[in-house]
Amino acid sequence: MALTAAVPARAADDAARSGDDIVVTATKRDETLREVPVSVAVTSAETIARAHIVDLIDLQSVVPSLKVQQFNAVGQTNFLIRGFGNGNGNDGIESSVGVFVDGVYRTRTSAAIDDLPEVERIEVLRGPQSTLFGKNVSAGAISIVTRRPDFGWGGKAELSVGNYGLMQGKASLNAPLGRTAAIRLSGAVDERDGYIRGVTTGQDINDRHRVSVRGDLLWQPTADFALRVIGDYNRIAELCCGVTSVRNGPATQVIGAPAPSGLGKPISDASDIFARTSASNSDPTNRLIGRGVSAQADYTLGFAKLTAITAYRDQINQSRQDVDFTGADIVTNAAANHIKTFTQELRLASNGTGRLRWLIGGFYQDEHVDTGRDIRFGRDARAFADALSGGAVGQLETLQSLVNPAIMPGRTYFQPGQGISDRYTLAQRAFSLFADADFKLTGRLKIGGGISYMNDRKAARSFVTLQDPFSALDLGNVRELALLPLAILNPAAPAGATIPVSLFSPLTALQFFYANAPGHAPVNFPNARESGVLRGDQVTYSARLAYDLGPVNTYVTYATGWKAGAINLSSDSRPPDQAGIGRTAAPENVTLYEAGVKAAFRGGYANLAVFKQTIKGFQSNIFKGFGYALVNAGQESVKGFEFDAAYAPVKMLSLAGSVTYLDANYDSFTGAACVRYDPVRCPIDPSTGLTPLFRDLTGQRPAGIAEWSASGSATLSHDLAPGIGGYLRAEYDYMSPTYQTESSPPDVATWGYHILNASLGVTLAAAKLEVMLWARNLTDDRAIVSTFPTVAQDGSYSGYVQQPRTYGATVRKAF
């Protein structure tokens, strides 16, 4: 087995190759990068190794149009291509970016972030891919291709050590099993201390404890038939993810203030957001177990090749977190899900000879999701409520106890263990039928297109129980409130003012669940008016024209995409008659116009794509504090360009770079979820103390879409002696200041970054040995990757800090 990095020094990375040398499977047929009429970025195994890319989160440093975000838990990972993507945090919503590992669709993003196995290449396809991939690729697709077993003995081992106690080991063994079968076995262990210090618990947070194993069996009894069976298992058990305060509002300041005016508990210092400390009174725990098996059979019929891919995956994801993120024991969230998925793909592709190339196929998915969470008040919740209400909670209990013996002063509201229990089940069946073809009109002119029929059915059930008696109160009908002094009901009221008794914003703000819902309680489904079933189908299609000018290939493409409707599986789910903050969301419909130029030349290539992409019904999924507001945007569009190139001007130097520009806009979005920080569009109703459900964001730039992003690399390689090579690689990753999320005010949620990565290595060809020193975020650039409204603390906002500088050494040995 060859070890790519252990050869004599040469022009490294893809820059030493032309677009005619790089083979991709973007259209499920082998084509060169220059030929394929799709905007696609390809990352080679050599780049992955030398850039020390260990998972898909690291991959974004070499693909600027791809953004990967990890939020409050290991499984809370979001992928965006050209600014589009969603699905994190809410199990009822699937990602707009599909992830495929060896042709197998990973239905939830948390199933796609385990450390990368022995990878041959990673392809990032930009724009809708619905006519070929069948499921949830309305924004794009990530295709990971691993190395197949071969019929020779070999293997490799890799060990990395670094700061924060990093100890990462990988090993693989390839062995022939007779003349017709071979097997590749691999495994990895990834251990690292955390880079965020828990000042209350004393533990390090954002550590890594990961184990993965994989077996890959190939049986090829004839030249016309091959069967590949893959089984994998991965386990993650980590303290993740640390949160810091980016703004401490009045409620958080009460927690930090000394008694008797406050609770006297630790809070994060919002004036030093990069101190990399966490004030939480308990550590965030995560446990994720994923396992699966897949079988791919390929049979050559002469005129075409028949491919069948069958897969089953099982994933368990559990987490527990102190979601008030302070040293006070106010509220915790324990969440878990269990996802079981069966997928089947069948396709028949022509053998590629002649003027016509075609492909037909079908895809089927059957998935069952069990998900839920328990949000519970802690021992400091009552003191927190009393402090925020100026004692009104206790006085209300005393007055109510006079007429209701079930109300016990000091022991009824905000007691430890009270809260809410969410339980949901979701059964989904989906299938698609697709066809695609290209026809050469002349030796240079080629036309093509595709069509797909997609059908999706979701059936969900909810089992939500509210165990917070204070949230269950209809404050407008609590007669005892009339006996409380007006100054307690509304401290901001002017003396002698005549204000309705229902103006009790300090108390309304403490109704964390269903304050704006009739009945102040969940409405479970299915019910007499809601079936819990969501159905949808759509025909998508594409058309393309390509003209080969010799060293330059040009193309124009028109494509549509579709993602099925979604069901909100969170506490903010509402029936339709409650002006829904989203029980369901309608499907997404995507339209793409794209023109591109692909040039291949000696020592390199250059690709340019110019596009306009529109999504009607974008599924906006905004975290509101305890749940998610799921609504459809009317229309969201982005226009821009992507340019990537690679070039080796001399034998020892390789250059590569990519630039993405995105001009995004909400063409129509009148139903955006309201937020407290926008009093102009979300004024407080003086009769209820509540804000409207919706605001109008039409004409505004959507959050989370960077205007400019870029990456570049330079690799200098040289033969130090016969059989001994050396290389030096530098890599730069840039994102312009970007408003990250509409749930937070722009002044705390606008961030960009400048990240420099570097590596220095020596290779010994005869020994098949490589030694590398590496660093990621070498200059320790500091940024916040996402923000959100702090739970139960109106006016406060929290965020996740960017990973700090990491560095280490890696030794790779092949045999």
Side-chain angles (χ1 to χ4, degrees):
M1 175 186 294
L3 178 63
T4 303
V7 298
R10 57 175 173 77
D13 301 319
D14 293 328
R17 307 162 64 190
S18 75
D20 285 328
D21 297 326
I22 301 171
V23 176
V24 297
T25 55
T27 57
K28 298 195 175 182
R29 296 181 295 243
D30 291 346
E31 294 183 277
T32 67
L33 181 62
R34 189 178 71 90
E35 289 177 326
V36 62
V38 175
S39 179
V40 54
V42 182
T43 304
S44 68
E46 184 173 283
T47 297
I48 291 168
R50 292 188 173 181
H52 195 69
I53 294 173
V54 298
D55 61 20
L56 292 182
I57 296 175
D58 293 335
L59 183 64
Q60 62 186 327
S61 65
V62 294
V63 184
S65 56
L66 170 69
K67 299 302 174 189
V68 187
Q69 303 165 326
Q70 181 172 286
F71 298 124
N72 66 297
V74 171
Q76 300 288 332
T77 304
N78 196 33
F79 298 91
L80 300 95
I81 294 179
R82 294 176 174 172
F84 294 132
N86 48 21
N88 62 291
N90 193 334
D91 287 332
I93 307 173
E94 296 167 287
S95 176
S96 302
V97 177
V99 178
F100 300 80
V101 180
D102 292 320
V104 176
Y105 174 49
R106 299 292 185 96
T107 62
R108 292 298 191 275
T109 52
S110 57
I113 64 169
D114 47 312
D115 289 0
L116 296 172
E118 193 168 353
V119 171
E120 183 174 298
R121 67 182 181 276
I122 300 177
E123 303 172 11
V124 177
L125 291 74
R126 298 171 285 215
Q129 307 297 324
S130 297
T131 56
L132 279 178
F133 283 86
K135 258 308 262 188
N136 298 335
V137 285
S138 56
I142 302 171
S143 177
I144 301 172
V145 181
T146 67
R147 290 195 63 184
R148 292 165 60 95
D150 54 55
F151 295 97
W153 283 95
K156 74 174 185 178
E158 177 180 314
L159 178 65
S160 297
V161 295
N163 63 333
Y164 296 104
L166 173 69
M167 185 69 67
Q168 183 185 65
K170 296 183 179 181
S172 66
L173 173 67
N174 188 89
L177 302 176
R179 295 183 177 181
T180 61
I183 190 170
R184 187 186 301 276
L185 303 174
S186 60
V189 177
D190 191 353
E191 299 282 335
R192 188 196 67 197
D193 298 331
Y195 56 81
I196 293 179
R197 181 173 56 89
V199 297
T200 305
T201 66
Q203 292 290 324
D204 289 333
I205 304 170
N206 283 37
D207 59 354
R208 276 199 170 184
H209 297 282
R210 303 183 177 188
V211 176
S212 61
V213 294
R214 175 183 166 103
D216 189 345
L217 176 65
L218 175 65
W219 180 49
Q220 193 167 352
T222 70
D224 294 331
F225 179 79
L227 176 65
R228 187 183 184 191
V229 179
I230 301 172
D232 67 272
Y233 171 89
N234 69 285
R235 177 176 59 84
I236 298 174
E238 299 175 351
L239 300 181
C240 185
C241 302
V243 170
T244 190
S245 294
V246 295
R247 173 173 294 168
N248 287 332
T252 305
Q253 294 173 26
V254 165
I255 296 173
S261 59
L263 275 64
K265 300 292 185 179
I267 61 174
S268 294
D269 183 0
S271 66
D272 188 9
I273 60 178
F274 296 110
R276 297 193 177 105
T277 59
S278 170
S280 297
N281 64 282
S282 62
D283 297 317
T285 60
N286 291 260
R287 178 176 174 267
L288 189 150
I289 295 176
R291 51 199 157 204
V293 61
S294 66
Q296 177 173 336
D298 294 288
Y299 183 55
T300 301
L301 302 173
F303 71 99
K305 182 169 76 171
L306 179 65
T307 298
I309 303 176
T310 307
Y312 175 78
R313 299 206 61 81
D314 186 294
Q315 178 179 291
I316 296 174
N317 188 4
Q318 300 170 326
S319 64
R320 181 180 178 86
Q321 192 169 40
D322 167 23
V323 290
D324 59 84
F325 310 114
T326 71
D329 182 16
I330 297 176
V331 60
T332 59
N333 179 22
N337 64 37
H338 188 185
I339 303 173
K340 295 176 285 187
T341 309
F342 170 82
T343 58
Q344 176 68 62
E345 182 176 357
L346 186 67
R347 64 177 184 261
L348 184 67
S350 65
N351 59 17
T353 61
R355 302 173 69 179
L356 177 66
R357 298 183 66 190
W358 53 267
L359 177 148
I360 58 173
F363 175 85
Y364 174 78
Q365 175 195 352
D366 190 321
E367 182 170 84
H368 293 267
V369 179
D370 291 289
T371 184
R373 65 175 186 172
D374 289 313
I375 296 180
R376 293 287 181 259
F377 295 141
R379 61 181 180 275
D380 294 323
R382 178 53 187 267
F384 179 58
D386 283 337
L388 291 184
S389 68
V393 171
Q395 294 187 46
L396 176 61
E397 274 181 336
T398 299
L399 291 172
Q400 286 185 298
S401 69
L402 299 176
V403 295
N404 185 354
I407 304 296
M408 295 176 286
R411 292 187 291 169
T412 297
Y413 300 133
F414 299 101
Q415 298 303 297
Q418 293 178 351
I420 194 170
S421 292
D422 287 358
R423 298 289 185 274
Y424 305 93
T425 63
L426 175 67
Q428 178 179 213
R429 292 184 180 179
F431 70 88
S432 64
L433 302 172
F434 53 86
D436 191 87
D438 287 299
F439 183 74
K440 288 186 176 181
L441 294 173
T442 70
R444 294 181 178 272
L445 181 62
K446 180 172 63 175
I447 63 171
I451 188 168
S452 173
Y453 171 73
M454 308 174 70
N455 186 291
D456 187 275
R457 180 187 185 275
K458 295 180 175 73
R461 303 182 67 90
S462 72
F463 309 88
V464 181
T465 57
L466 180 64
Q467 296 140 350
D468 171 19
F470 191 80
S471 287
L473 289 175
D474 181 1
L475 295 175
N477 290 316
V478 177
R479 291 176 297 174
E480 291 80 12
L481 282 174
L483 302 176
L484 291 179
L486 181 61
I488 289 179
L489 294 178
N490 183 13
T498 303
I499 297 178
V501 72
S502 57
L503 184 55
F504 29 70
S505 57
L507 295 181
T508 300
L510 294 175
Q511 291 193 308
F512 302 124
F513 309 103
Y514 302 104
N516 60 351
H520 290 263
V523 178
N524 283 307
F525 62 92
N527 53 52
R529 299 181 58 189
E530 299 177 276
S531 67
V533 176
L534 194 62
R535 294 183 178 91
D537 65 345
Q538 182 74 3
V539 174
T540 65
Y541 47 90
S542 65
R544 52 189 177 267
L545 178 70
Y547 191 80
D548 190 349
L549 298 174
V552 176
N553 200 18
T554 62
Y555 71 91
V556 291
T557 296
Y558 172 78
T560 63
W562 185 75
K563 191 181 84 165
I567 301 177
N568 191 354
L569 303 185
S570 83
S571 293
D572 272 338
S573 179
R574 300 286 192 273
D577 59 351
Q578 293 182 13
I581 304 181
R583 177 79 92 194
T584 63
E588 294 179 353
N589 289 278
V590 183
T591 302
L592 170 70
Y593 298 88
E594 180 173 307
V597 177
K598 297 190 175 188
F601 45 86
R602 182 178 176 84
Y605 63 87
N607 302 322
L608 172 66
V610 180
F611 57 86
K612 180 179 181 181
Q613 189 167 323
T614 301
I615 295 186
K616 292 184 179 180
F618 176 75
Q619 295 168 359
S620 174
N621 180 43
I622 300 297
F623 182 65
K624 294 279 289 180
F626 279 103
Y628 290 85
L630 174 63
V631 294
N632 288 103
Q635 180 170 294
E636 180 178 345
S637 64
V638 60
K639 53 187 176 182
F641 69 83
E642 293 155 341
F643 175 78
D644 60 277
Y647 181 53
V650 294
K651 182 179 179 181
M652 63 186 299
L653 178 63
S654 294
L655 304 173
S658 301
V659 177
T660 298
Y661 170 75
L662 301 174
D663 180 10
N665 186 65
Y666 279 131
D667 304 313
S668 173
F669 194 7
T670 59
C674 238
V675 289
R676 289 278 187 174
Y677 69 81
D678 189 356
V680 175
R681 288 176 290 192
C682 302
I684 295 177
D685 186 340
S687 66
T688 63
L690 299 172
T691 62
L693 291 176
F694 305 114
R695 60 178 177 149
D696 188 354
L697 296 183
T698 301
Q700 183 170 307
R701 183 183 183 90
I705 303 180
E707 184 176 18
W708 289 97
S709 56
S711 67
S713 68
T715 303
L716 186 67
S717 55
H718 186 63
D719 291 331
L720 305 177
I724 301 176
Y727 63 86
L728 173 64
R729 174 186 170 90
E731 178 184 287
Y732 177 68
D733 184 20
Y734 167 78
M735 185 181 77
S736 62
T738 303
Y739 180 35
Q740 297 170 337
T741 173
E742 283 136 11
S743 66
S744 305
D747 61 322
V748 301
T750 301
W751 294 88
Y753 56 71
H754 304 257
I755 297 177
L756 179 65
N757 305 319
S759 60
L760 173 67
V762 176
T763 64
L764 289 79
K768 296 184 179 180
L769 181 69
E770 177 184 7
V771 179
M772 181 179 75
L773 302 177
W774 53 267
R776 295 190 66 84
N777 193 10
L778 183 61
T779 60
D780 200 23
D781 182 70
R782 298 183 175 189
I784 298 294
V785 299
S786 185
T787 62
F788 60 92
T790 310
V791 174
Q793 296 160 66
D794 195 21
S796 297
Y797 298 90
S798 299
Y800 305 99
V801 296
Q802 181 175 272
Q803 183 169 296
R805 178 194 299 117
T806 57
Y807 53 85
T810 298
V811 178
R812 298 186 180 99
K813 168 66 177 175
F815 54 89

